């Protein structure tokens, strides 16, 4: 297994081009405390809600976000989905498995993804495609549903259904493929 070193941290990941797999990918994390550009916060309960919707499943992987993505546009899937904690960072992690058709018929995209994952993981991120509920916390720390957004309110997401994760250049909740910014 390759060891990828990050600022004061070591994240374990394995990129295996021959088998078309990337292990230890951060699907969503609370590294920023928010989903950048979306006006919502990510807390540990947010990560747990994604886990509850994805555990023991294979979740589609797309090469990028596209409104017209369909099941047959998938380049692979994520499996072995789990929660990992390191200091204050909580991540939903999974292992990417490329479809044989992606490896054989879109070789240039497959090669680019594998090279980025192994040599420059800070240049590729994941983004979730999901349906969410929005919640806030009252003074006692209990959750309540938010239906009307107000700028004064802290809004947290809860995953109701997760369809896919897409490879993107700038993730809203991850700072790299492994959720730690590379040196």
């Amino acid at each position: 297994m390759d060891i990828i070193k990050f600022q004061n941290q070591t994240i374990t990941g394995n990129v295996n081009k021959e088998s078309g797999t990337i292990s230890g990918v951060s699907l969503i994390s609370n590294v920023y405390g928010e989903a950048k550009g979306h006006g919502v916060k990510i807390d540990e309960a947010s990560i747990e809600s994604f886990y509850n919707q994805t555990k023991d499943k294979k979740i589609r992987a797309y090469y990028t976000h596209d409104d017209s993505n369909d099941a047959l546009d998938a380049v692979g899937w994520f499996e072995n989905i789990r929660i990992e904690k390191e200091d204050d960072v909580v991540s939903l992690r999974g292992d990417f498995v490329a479809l044989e058709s992606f490896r054989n018929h879109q070789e240039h995209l497959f090669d680019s993804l594998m090279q980025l994952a192994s040599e420059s993981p800070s240049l590729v991120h994941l983004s979730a495609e999901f349906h969410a509920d929005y919640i806030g916390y009252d003074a006692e720390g209990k959750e309540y549903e938010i239906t009307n957004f107000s700028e004064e309110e802290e809004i947290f997401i809860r995953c109701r259904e997760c369809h896919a994760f897409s490879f993107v250049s700038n993730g809203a909740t991850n700072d790299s493929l492994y959720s730690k910014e590379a040196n």
Side-chain angles (χ1 to χ4, degrees):
M1 193 172 274
D2 298 330
I3 302 293
I4 300 164
K5 298 202 183 254
F6 294 88
Q7 298 173 346
N8 305 323
Q9 307 284 331
T10 302
I11 300 292
T12 305
N14 187 13
V15 178
N16 186 326
K17 186 175 177 183
E18 187 175 306
S19 67
T21 59
I22 307 169
S23 67
V25 173
S26 181
L27 303 170
I28 184 170
S29 76
N30 68 343
V31 71
Y32 297 126
E34 66 176 321
K36 294 188 314 184
H38 296 281
V40 295
K41 304 275 186 178
I42 304 292
D43 61 2
E44 191 167 338
S46 301
I47 307 295
E48 289 170 359
S49 71
F50 275 89
Y51 175 73
N52 290 334
Q53 296 303 316
T54 60
K55 68 181 175 186
D56 302 323
K57 296 179 183 176
K58 291 181 179 178
I59 304 296
R60 281 185 300 272
Y62 293 122
Y63 191 72
T64 190
H65 273 314
D66 189 329
D67 290 337
S68 65
N69 273 345
D70 199 5
L72 297 180
D73 294 323
V75 297
W77 65 83
F78 290 95
E79 62 185 19
N80 301 321
I81 296 174
R82 62 214 177 261
I83 294 177
E84 292 184 9
K85 297 179 185 181
E86 188 172 347
D87 299 326
D88 293 337
V89 176
V90 180
S91 300
L92 182 73
R93 293 189 184 275
D95 302 327
F96 172 71
V97 178
L99 289 170
E100 191 173 323
S101 60
F102 175 53
R103 295 167 58 191
N104 294 335
H105 301 291
Q106 295 180 314
E107 293 174 57
H108 65 288
L109 295 178
F110 173 75
D111 289 345
S112 294
L113 176 59
M114 291 292 133
Q115 185 174 0
L116 283 169
S118 64
E119 296 176 19
S120 297
S122 65
L123 300 179
V124 63
H125 305 204
L126 270 294
S127 184
E129 297 187 19
F130 65 102
H131 293 289
D133 291 321
Y134 302 96
I135 65 101
Y137 290 102
D138 67 17
E140 288 82 41
K142 293 185 181 181
E143 292 185 6
Y144 63 90
E145 186 176 3
I146 295 176
T147 54
N148 295 318
F149 289 47
S150 111
E151 289 185 27
E152 300 83 43
E153 222 166 5
E154 280 194 319
I155 302 165
F156 294 82
I157 60 167
R158 298 295 179 260
C159 179
R160 187 173 358 111
E161 186 177 345
C162 184
H163 306 288
F165 293 98
S166 298
F167 291 98
V168 295
S169 59
N170 290 306
T173 69
N174 290 304
D175 58 6
S176 83
L177 192 61
Y178 304 107
S179 190
K180 293 288 184 186
E181 192 169 319
N183 289 325

